[in-house]
Amino acid sequence: QVRPVESGGGLVQAGDSLRLSCAASGHTFSIYAVGWFRQAPGKEREFVAAISNSGGSTNYQDSVKGRFIISRDNAKNTVYLQMNSLKPEDTAVYYCAAGWRGVTATPQGYYYWGQGTQVTVSS
């Protein structure tokens, strides 16, 4: 069983950048696709981005295309989410999750979830 652990969240201003990390413990990440999701207060959890186990395929929510970049370093068992040009509407708890269904945008495609890291973007 893999246990994802997120880090890198924080409080930034609009237009700033942050890089989130999702590190695996308990099992290698390299066999899993990994997705990033976020949940803002009072809203449902939504898909942000996903990357295949090899890193050769990615998928993004339309609102983050061109601003966020997902990548992975399987040698380090870590997946990254580089977030640029942050907006107040990006404020949420960000979760990473691992699964076997490729770069799906549906939460049901992921089986192992982290505890989340808070990202707050002030205007």
Side-chain angles (χ1 to χ4, degrees):
Q1 181 175 347
V2 66
R3 292 182 292 275
V5 178
E6 305 93 339
S7 62
L11 172 63
V12 296
Q13 293 187 330
D16 286 350
S17 298
L18 271 179
R19 188 177 79 161
L20 304 184
S21 297
C22 176
S25 63
H27 204 282
T28 182
F29 244 179
S30 64
I31 64 172
Y32 298 98
V34 175
W36 283 96
F37 292 77
R38 65 186 181 187
Q39 187 166 20
K43 295 187 177 181
E44 293 191 354
R45 190 170 298 189
E46 65 173 1
F47 172 74
V48 177
I51 189 166
S52 62
N53 59 339
S54 67
S57 181
T58 58
N59 185 19
Y60 294 93
Q61 183 200 109
D62 285 346
S63 69
V64 307
K65 284 181 181 177
R67 298 191 299 125
F68 291 12
I69 301 171
I70 189 169
S71 63
R72 69 189 301 159
D73 184 341
N74 284 338
K76 296 182 178 180
N77 268 3
T78 302
V79 172
Y80 304 98
L81 185 67
Q82 178 67 42
M83 305 187 296
N84 302 317
S85 302
L86 282 162
K87 304 175 181 180
E89 50 264 43
D90 294 318
T91 295
V93 177
Y94 283 71
Y95 301 87
C96 69
W100 292 285
R101 296 189 183 181
V103 293
T104 180
T106 58
Q108 291 80 7
Y110 300 90
Y111 306 103
Y112 305 110
W113 290 79
Q115 295 299 304
T117 185
Q118 176 71 48
V119 172
T120 303
V121 185
S122 64
S123 58

